[in-house]
Amino acid sequence: GLIISDWNMEPMTGLDFLKAVRGANNDNQDTPFIMVTAENKTEKVIAAKQAGVNNYIVKPFDAETLKQKIVSVLGDF
């Protein structure tokens, strides 16, 4: 499995979703998680890293960037 989530979404933010996925008693807590966002502020990247994100993509991005990020968390495919 792999989760790719945007940071800005409703009703919960991507960071809140990440924290829920990484929370105790969750079968998906070890699932690789890539956060996508248009915001590249250092404090947001740090917050996502502290919450357990595996990688981070800043919009806009192309297919090759997405592939590289997926390979970084899953390995070659």
Side-chain angles (χ1 to χ4, degrees):
L2 171 66
I3 298 169
I4 300 175
S5 175
D6 199 293
W7 186 292
N8 297 311
M9 56 185 193
E10 295 286 335
M12 120 185 338
T13 68
L15 184 61
D16 291 335
F17 178 51
L18 172 61
K19 289 176 181 178
V21 168
R22 293 293 186 245
N25 302 320
N26 186 328
D27 292 338
N28 296 313
Q29 59 184 287
D30 295 325
T31 301
F33 195 114
I34 298 174
M35 185 75 70
V36 178
T37 185
E39 302 182 39
N40 62 356
K41 295 178 182 170
T42 303
E43 60 271 11
K44 290 209 172 199
V45 175
I46 291 170
K49 286 287 187 186
Q50 290 174 338
V53 78
N54 296 96
N55 219 317
Y56 200 86
I57 303 175
V58 177
K59 297 176 196 176
F61 60 93
D62 58 18
E64 184 58 31
T65 299
L66 177 59
K67 181 180 179 186
Q68 289 171 1
K69 299 294 183 168
I70 293 172
V71 166
S72 77
V73 299
L74 296 180
D76 286 326
F77 56 90

